Amino acid sequence: MRDEDLQEMRQLPLFDGVGAAYVESLLRSAFVQRFPAHVELVHEGDPADFLYVIVQGQVEIYASYRDRETTISVLGPGNSFIIAAVLLDRVYLKSARGLTPTRILMLPAEAVRDGFAEDAHFARALAVDMALAYRGVVKELKNQKLRSSLERLANWLIAEDEKGGSTGKLEIPYDKKVLASRLGMAPEVLSRSIAALIPYKVDIRGRHVQLNDREALLSLARPVPTIDDPAC
Amino acid sequence: MRDEDLQEMRQLPLFDGVGAAYVESLLRSAFVQRFPAHVELVHEGDPADFLYVIVQGQVEIYASYRDRETTISVLGPGNSFIIAAVLLDRVYLKSARGLTPTRILMLPAEAVRDGFAEDAHFARALAVDMALAYRGVVKELKNQKLRSSLERLANWLIAEDEKGGSTGKLEIPYDKKVLASRLGMAPEVLSRSIAALIPYKVDIRGRHVQLNDREALLSLARPVPTIDDPAC
DNA sequence: ATCCAGGCTTGATCAATATCAAGGACGTGA
DNA sequence: TCACGTCCTTGATATTGATCAAGCCTGGAT
């Protein structure tokens, strides 16, 4: 790994609170890899050889069954994925592909497992990361089982707006069909749901979104912390 | 805690591979509590004061939103719940209630968090438990997003049969309305799905189930390891 | 044995979502 | 600027699942 890469990797949230010397030794067995957009980084069912950490770009985590496919989440820089499979030395449950060109830090699974045993701070960082990811899926499962498509979209818009500082103005960060799959609906249903939000003063053109009546949208979406608050 | 209780608690899978002395010290701050059926053990949104481990009985993990409710899972002896909330010192994302009278080991959250830092073996045991739970939810999310109700029921029957040794004979371990909610459908839909399985030689009377044509059911259900294999 | 309550089933209907098909918008490259 | 391909939208229709309303069955209490 090049020096400037090393410099960058040390900053990753996964290494927060981990001793510099230990991070160094972990990174020695790791490498950074660039991938073009749309290539599959990880395939569901394969043994977990690496822990992946996104340095640059967007990664879609998805799963397939028969001829169907659904996206579980879309991750960005700083996020790691497939922690649980690496820790347990099992098979990946999800696949991953870049939505954009990506730069990815790849940590050999064995080094990660060893690290868990050898360095208590790293173990904690891994566990925290995993716990957050775990809670994320639980929230998503609740989102799926307890809400209609329209409610999911409305809540997604509010959450996305809050990420950007609640300006009422935001950009959908990927294709609408990816968003549809993330939200658990067919692309056609997303189109219609978007149209159904016009009375709530939601204005979506292409990827540009304007929320012109936050109150109205909130009364439809009714977000709750235990599903929607990322800090919860 | 009484001596015979202590004896029993030491056997819990959560303490697998953890030094006896350390288990002892953990248990000193813990206690075992009996609850009658149907009482709420944990309420979604409350701060995570305890890690719960089921000693006896069945516990339903569920979540609510507006006037809706869905069961996330049903746990039995040896299972722990709400690990992630305890580790992160955050709020519970799910509620829990006993479906039967229960005996529950309650470990104060702080002791668990301290334990994570102090004892590497316990840290590992916690992480493994959490990783397994995490993968469980991921599988469940895939189950929900990628399959129809009928497919979910068919796969549940096969999985449940395999748990019991693939005898083709099994008992539904709780009320059908709980099963319906677990599988993500209205009770009426479960009834109709059961009827729809008659051509596949599935015979359900009350809680007794007989699978008389495993091949036929398998061809409908099409289980895959990355959703259905608990060992995966 | 009888009665009752809760849980389950069944029927009828409605709402939500998926699917199929076609057309339209938009950005990119020639 | 034009042509093309991709993505998105719209319409029509089918399917799936939810809801409402009885009625039925069963198991436990009397």
Side-chain angles (χ1 to χ4, degrees):
Chain A
M1 200 183 300
R2 296 171 318 173
D3 263 9
E4 54 202 281
D5 278 348
L6 271 172
Q7 188 63 20
E8 209 176 340
M9 300 309 134
R10 279 190 275 258
Q11 320 290 332
L12 289 170
L14 186 63
F15 298 133
D16 251 21
V18 182
Y22 198 75
V23 173
E24 230 51 37
S25 86
L26 272 170
L27 287 177
R28 253 192 295 282
S29 65
F31 51 94
V32 176
Q33 179 82 32
R34 279 175 193 277
F35 298 94
H38 310 302
V39 302
E40 189 176 64
L41 309 175
V42 155
H43 184 77
E44 177 178 352
D46 286 352
D49 294 329
F50 296 96
L51 173 63
Y52 291 75
V53 187
I54 305 173
V55 178
Q56 237 177 51
Q58 263 181 341
V59 174
E60 178 186 15
I61 308 292
Y62 65 101
S64 312
Y65 175 67
R66 300 206 189 185
D67 58 343
R68 308 159 210 171
E69 185 182 303
T70 191
T71 115
I72 308 283
S73 58
V74 179
L75 304 177
N79 291 130
S80 60
F81 52 98
I82 331 269
I83 274 202
V86 166
L87 235 152
L88 295 174
D89 196 8
R90 297 202 181 169
V91 128
Y92 298 121
L93 292 183
K94 323 176 232 176
S95 304
R97 70 165 77 94
L99 290 177
T100 63
T102 49
R103 269 174 75 219
I104 310 264
L105 173 68
M106 297 172 69
L107 290 155
E110 222 184 311
V112 174
R113 284 191 295 272
D114 292 351
F116 191 95
E118 284 170 25
D119 188 284
H121 297 288
F122 183 54
R124 164 159 292 266
L126 282 173
V128 165
D129 216 67
M130 188 163 66
L132 290 172
Y134 177 20
R135 286 167 71 88
V137 204
V138 169
K139 288 178 191 162
E140 192 49 41
L141 183 60
K142 291 169 63 176
N143 196 29
Q144 283 295 323
K145 288 184 81 176
L146 292 167
R147 296 217 263 233
S148 70
S149 322
L150 188 61
E151 288 172 329
R152 291 198 296 276
L153 172 59
N155 277 292
W156 184 87
L157 286 169
I158 290 170
E160 200 65 15
D161 182 37
E162 285 180 355
K163 259 202 254 173
S166 301
T167 60
K169 240 183 117 137
L170 61 111
E171 303 284 304
I172 301 174
Y174 28 78
D175 283 354
K176 285 208 182 108
K177 65 178 175 185
V178 174
L179 177 58
S181 176
R182 229 289 356 231
L183 293 176
M185 60 186 90
E188 295 93 330
V189 176
L190 176 58
S191 269
R192 292 187 175 106
S193 300
I194 286 175
L197 289 180
I198 293 176
Y200 298 87
K201 304 274 186 298
V202 175
D203 183 6
I204 304 188
R205 298 168 189 220
R207 292 188 171 189
H208 311 290
V209 182
Q210 286 230 36
L211 312 181
N212 293 320
D213 188 346
R214 200 179 159 69
E215 287 312 309
L217 190 57
L218 275 170
S219 75
L220 170 69
R222 296 242 228 141
V224 291
T226 54
I227 301 182
D228 306 286
D229 185 354
C232 169
Chain B
M1 199 182 303
R2 296 171 318 175
D3 262 11
E4 54 203 278
D5 278 349
L6 272 171
Q7 189 63 20
E8 209 176 339
M9 300 308 134
R10 281 190 274 260
Q11 320 290 333
L12 289 170
L14 187 63
F15 299 133
D16 251 23
V18 183
Y22 198 74
V23 173
E24 229 52 37
S25 85
L26 273 169
L27 287 177
R28 253 192 295 282
S29 63
F31 50 93
V32 176
Q33 180 81 31
R34 279 175 194 277
F35 297 94
H38 311 303
V39 304
E40 190 177 63
L41 310 175
V42 156
H43 184 78
E44 174 177 358
D46 286 351
D49 295 327
F50 295 97
L51 173 62
Y52 291 74
V53 187
I54 304 172
V55 178
Q56 236 176 52
Q58 263 182 341
V59 174
E60 177 186 13
I61 308 292
Y62 66 101
S64 313
Y65 176 69
R66 299 205 190 186
D67 58 344
R68 309 159 208 171
E69 184 181 306
T70 190
T71 115
I72 309 283
S73 58
V74 179
L75 303 177
N79 290 131
S80 60
F81 53 98
I82 331 268
I83 275 203
V86 166
L87 235 150
L88 295 174
D89 196 8
R90 297 202 181 170
V91 125
Y92 298 122
L93 292 183
K94 325 177 231 178
S95 303
R97 69 165 76 95
L99 290 178
T100 64
T102 49
R103 270 175 74 219
I104 309 262
L105 173 68
M106 296 172 67
L107 289 156
E110 220 183 312
V112 175
R113 285 191 293 273
D114 292 350
F116 190 94
E118 284 170 24
D119 189 284
H121 296 288
F122 184 52
R124 162 159 294 266
L126 282 172
V128 165
D129 216 64
M130 187 164 65
L132 289 172
Y134 177 21
R135 287 167 71 87
V137 206
V138 169
K139 287 177 192 164
E140 193 49 42
L141 183 60
K142 290 169 61 175
N143 196 30
Q144 283 295 324
K145 289 184 79 175
L146 293 167
R147 298 217 261 235
S148 70
S149 320
L150 189 61
E151 288 172 331
R152 291 199 294 277
L153 172 59
N155 277 291
W156 183 87
L157 286 169
I158 289 169
E160 200 65 13
D161 182 38
E162 285 180 355
K163 260 203 250 170
S166 300
T167 61
K169 240 184 118 135
L170 61 111
E171 302 285 305
I172 302 173
Y174 29 77
D175 283 354
K176 283 205 184 114
K177 65 179 174 185
V178 175
L179 177 58
S181 177
R182 231 274 16 220
L183 293 176
M185 60 186 90
E188 295 94 328
V189 175
L190 175 59
S191 268
R192 293 189 173 103
S193 300
I194 286 175
L197 289 180
I198 294 177
Y200 298 88
K201 303 275 184 299
V202 175
D203 183 6
I204 303 188
R205 300 168 187 221
R207 291 187 170 189
H208 311 290
V209 182
Q210 285 230 39
L211 311 180
N212 293 318
D213 187 346
R214 201 179 159 69
E215 287 312 309
L217 189 57
L218 275 169
S219 75
L220 170 69
R222 295 240 229 141
V224 292
T226 54
I227 301 182
D228 306 286
D229 185 354
C232 167

